[in-house]
Amino acid sequence: MRSRVPQLRLDELLEELQARIDAARGTRDRVHSLLEAVLSVGRELDLTQALRRIVEAAAILVDARYAALGVIGPDGTTLSEFLTVGLSEEEIARIGSYPTGRGILGELIHHPEALRLGELSAHGASYGFPANHPPMRTFLGVPVRVRDKVFGNLYLTDKRGGEEFDADDESVLSTLAVAAGVAIDNARLYEEAQRQQRWLSASAEITRGLLSGSARTDVLGLIAQRAREITRAELADVSVPVPGADAVRVELALGGDEAGRLGLVVPLEGSLSGEACAQGAPAATDDLSADPRLAAGPRRFEGLGPAVAVPLGLATGQVGGVLLLARRSGEQPFSEEEIAPLKGFAGQAALALELAERRRDAEQLAMLEDRDRIARDLHDLAIQRLFATGMTLQSAARFIDHPGASERVLRAVGDLDETIKIIRSTIFGLRVREEGAGQGLRARVVRVVEEAQPSLGFAPRLSMEGLLDTDVPAQVADHVVAVLGEALSNAARHAKARRVEVGLQATGSRVALTVRDDGVGIPEQGRRSGLRNLAERAEGLGGTLELASPPDGGTALVWSVPLG
């Protein structure tokens, strides 16, 4: 009996020793796993991938069935991003939208310190689970800090084996959270450096375009495209103020429904681009498609969320345009770190507008000087020589005995006379100065088209051909302007058109005005008093009014009268 007692004591001691060895080995393995996790997280420079690795490492280290990392939004009270481990895509889809920070999740947001629970539902802040959410019982949460500021929280639930999370789990997870904060900071710094490099490269590319004399539209297109790429925006628009109206017009559109937005005119009040234009400062929103402040104009931003509009200021202190960038709904809002370089980028866009304006002024001045030279040469050289040639032929005709030959010479003299009249008319057109050009038919037609933009909601396309300012009499020009105004008004009020094309042509014998739209057409029983007035104007001048429905829909109006 005495010999067996020491044997039992020895077995107990050996079992205890084995247990301590296993515990030490487990601790060693856990420390080793923690070090591996820290190294794995620290090596990742892509922020999204770093966050994903942190969640995965946390679940493995504390043997949790489910893990999540909630990123706190700019307001400091809700979650802007939520990454999960342990749930399949089908389970996530059945649960619905991600949590925003209520209940236990919100408890860590408002009190950023480690929290361990043996039973989730027993806590006073427990809010319950949504439908189709898997049951969860045990809980462990720790905050993740980046430079002493809470970046987000790690949430772990349901320790495998049905056990509760213990102090060792909390210690391991807190250590990982510290390493995660460093990794997130490194990833953000790397991302910021990469973004700055892309901004510098884009700025250099745009500067080369400006110095090489690239067209204004090309430079603006390059600016919008690079800004869209760097900020990962879904679309980019450049809008310019409409002269004489509290509105902006979309001059350039990239991404999304480009054709539907291009040429749209929206008021300053009730639009993000208009707000930036009116205030001369960047304007941002977290939900472009649903923001109640931005209800002006047609709905053209469905499915879009965060957006920012940056004004393009000119040297005169005025706003020359607005650059609008928008992301898909649910994506991250534009941060101050992203908006700051956009301001410098917008300065380059403003420089492009200013340079284009100066080039246009210089080209117009050169054109006017060239016109003066051509008109002077035509008057002093061509007309005098033609007149002298006509006088010579007229004198020579008296010495021609053959009647046919004499008639041909006199006919040539008449042709020379008509040619002189045409050249004089051309000289008059070339010497029309800006103060007189504003009263010409061309300028009046341009004004009518511009005035129709707010009511139409977009800019009509305009093309003009011929000597409109010299060949078209003032009385006929008045009718042309009135007919164009009525046609555009009909398109705005009744046609529900999204595209209008205006064409004006003077051929020497007739002037023809064509207005085409892609609207609903002319109803059979609709009022036609306006069209009747247009027809009467044409008949009074000996002309015609023709209406047609093109095969692709809409209406084509052709108003044509002879030039007496």
Side-chain angles (χ1 to χ4, degrees):
M1 190 69 179
R2 290 179 179 177
S3 63
R4 294 184 60 186
V5 172
Q7 182 66 37
L8 291 173
R9 292 271 306 172
L10 181 61
D11 290 343
E12 291 175 0
L13 289 173
L14 288 174
E15 288 177 1
E16 184 179 350
L17 179 60
Q18 184 64 43
R20 293 191 177 187
I21 291 173
D22 292 340
R25 185 181 293 116
T27 301
R28 182 200 64 188
D29 293 342
R30 198 168 198 185
V31 170
H32 182 69
S33 298
L34 177 60
L35 290 174
E36 283 187 344
V38 170
L39 291 174
S40 174
V41 168
R43 281 194 298 264
E44 189 59 62
L45 291 176
D46 182 83
L47 182 58
T48 303
Q49 291 300 322
L51 298 180
R52 173 62 60 183
R53 284 185 180 272
I54 291 168
V55 182
E56 293 172 347
I60 294 172
L61 285 173
V62 299
D63 202 19
R65 186 182 303 276
Y66 305 107
L69 173 61
V71 179
I72 300 176
D75 59 0
T77 60
T78 58
L79 298 176
S80 62
E81 194 172 351
F82 200 74
L83 292 86
T84 63
V85 167
L87 293 173
S88 66
E89 294 295 332
E90 292 75 13
E91 288 176 313
I92 294 173
R94 285 198 299 269
I95 295 172
S97 59
Y98 282 117
T100 57
R102 304 173 71 178
I104 296 294
L105 304 186
E107 181 71 14
L108 259 76
I109 296 176
H110 301 298
H111 303 93
E113 55 189 28
L115 177 64
R116 265 190 297 133
L117 300 174
E119 185 61 53
L120 266 169
S121 58
H123 194 277
S126 178
Y127 191 78
F129 297 109
N132 301 317
H133 196 288
M136 297 179 180
R137 191 175 67 82
T138 57
F139 175 85
L140 173 60
V142 296
V144 177
R145 289 181 169 85
V146 177
R147 297 190 182 185
D148 296 329
K149 183 178 180 181
V150 178
F151 173 82
N153 296 302
L154 276 170
Y155 307 107
L156 288 302
T157 60
D158 277 16
K159 187 176 178 69
R160 297 183 188 277
E163 300 177 3
E164 295 184 8
F165 295 105
D166 55 25
D168 288 341
D169 293 326
E170 181 180 326
S171 177
V172 168
L173 198 61
S174 297
T175 303
L176 178 65
V178 173
V182 176
I184 291 171
D185 193 28
N186 288 339
R188 289 167 110 184
L189 290 173
Y190 178 76
E191 190 177 74
E192 178 64 22
Q194 291 292 98
R195 186 165 54 241
Q196 290 293 341
Q197 180 61 38
R198 290 195 294 269
W199 281 121
L200 289 173
S201 299
S203 297
E205 184 180 5
I206 291 163
T207 300
R208 287 195 298 270
L210 289 170
L211 295 177
S212 65
S214 298
R216 171 178 179 269
T217 53
D218 293 341
V219 177
L220 285 180
L222 181 61
I223 289 170
Q225 181 62 34
R226 293 296 177 264
R228 179 190 173 198
E229 292 172 355
I230 295 173
T231 60
R232 297 185 179 93
E234 176 68 14
L235 62 82
D237 288 352
V238 175
S239 302
V240 294
V242 177
D246 293 332
V248 292
R249 176 173 55 83
V250 180
E251 182 175 325
L252 186 143
L254 297 177
D257 183 16
E258 298 178 1
R261 301 195 314 276
L262 189 63
L264 278 176
V265 177
V266 293
L268 297 183
E269 186 175 354
S271 66
L272 195 66
S273 296
E275 182 179 335
C277 183
Q279 297 180 356
T285 179
D286 291 343
D287 196 344
L288 185 61
S289 61
D291 195 324
R293 302 171 303 155
L294 311 175
R299 304 304 298 175
R300 60 193 187 282
F301 296 127
E302 297 298 331
L304 296 176
V308 61
V310 184
L312 314 179
L314 300 177
T316 57
Q318 299 177 333
V319 175
V322 176
L323 173 63
L324 171 70
L325 298 167
R327 290 173 175 156
R328 286 191 176 277
S329 181
E331 295 188 5
Q332 285 289 328
F334 287 87
S335 62
E336 285 298 325
E337 290 76 12
E338 292 177 302
I339 296 177
L342 269 176
K343 295 177 183 177
F345 219 51
Q348 286 192 310
L351 180 60
L353 293 173
E354 191 114 14
L355 282 176
E357 191 70 26
R358 296 295 175 265
R359 285 197 190 106
R360 190 160 49 244
D361 291 344
E363 289 170 0
Q364 188 172 15
L365 181 60
M367 181 189 67
L368 291 175
E369 291 176 350
D370 208 32
R371 284 183 175 183
D372 280 343
R373 181 186 59 77
I374 294 171
R376 186 169 56 251
D377 291 346
L378 286 174
H379 181 271
D380 296 343
L381 302 175
I383 287 183
Q384 301 303 326
R385 296 195 64 173
L386 288 172
F387 187 75
T389 302
M391 292 286 290
T392 302
L393 289 175
Q394 194 172 24
S395 300
R398 295 198 301 268
F399 301 102
I400 299 175
D401 297 330
H402 194 283
S406 178
E407 182 183 352
R408 288 186 180 183
V409 170
L410 292 176
R411 190 183 307 129
V413 172
D415 291 341
L416 286 173
D417 210 18
E418 288 298 319
T419 302
I420 290 173
K421 291 180 181 179
I422 292 173
I423 293 176
R424 281 177 172 165
S425 175
T426 303
I427 292 172
F428 175 76
L430 289 172
R431 284 183 168 171
V432 171
R433 298 300 184 195
E434 274 201 13
E435 59 269 18
Q439 305 302 320
L441 179 56
R442 284 180 179 270
R444 295 172 66 186
V445 167
V446 170
R447 279 201 301 270
V448 172
V449 170
E450 288 179 348
E451 290 168 358
Q453 290 181 18
S455 57
L456 285 169
F458 56 86
R461 297 181 180 179
L462 174 63
S463 63
M464 293 184 284
E465 299 179 22
L467 299 175
L468 297 171
D469 291 338
T470 57
D471 283 3
V472 182
Q475 181 185 6
V476 177
D478 291 341
H479 285 287
V480 170
V481 173
V483 170
L484 177 58
E486 178 67 21
L488 292 177
S489 177
N490 288 339
R493 289 181 298 170
H494 309 303
K496 300 179 181 178
R498 298 186 65 183
R499 187 182 73 253
V500 174
E501 298 178 358
V502 177
L504 183 60
Q505 183 180 35
T507 62
S509 59
R510 297 185 72 83
V511 60
L513 172 67
T514 304
V515 180
R516 292 188 177 88
D517 65 63
D518 63 348
V520 297
I522 301 175
E524 293 294 333
Q525 306 299 327
R527 295 180 57 187
R528 294 176 175 262
S529 57
L531 295 176
R532 189 163 51 250
N533 291 338
L534 301 186
E536 290 175 357
R537 286 179 180 273
E539 292 170 0
L541 297 172
T544 58
L545 172 68
E546 298 177 4
L547 293 173
S549 297
D552 55 348
T555 304
L557 178 150
V558 181
W559 189 88
S560 175
V561 297
L563 296 175

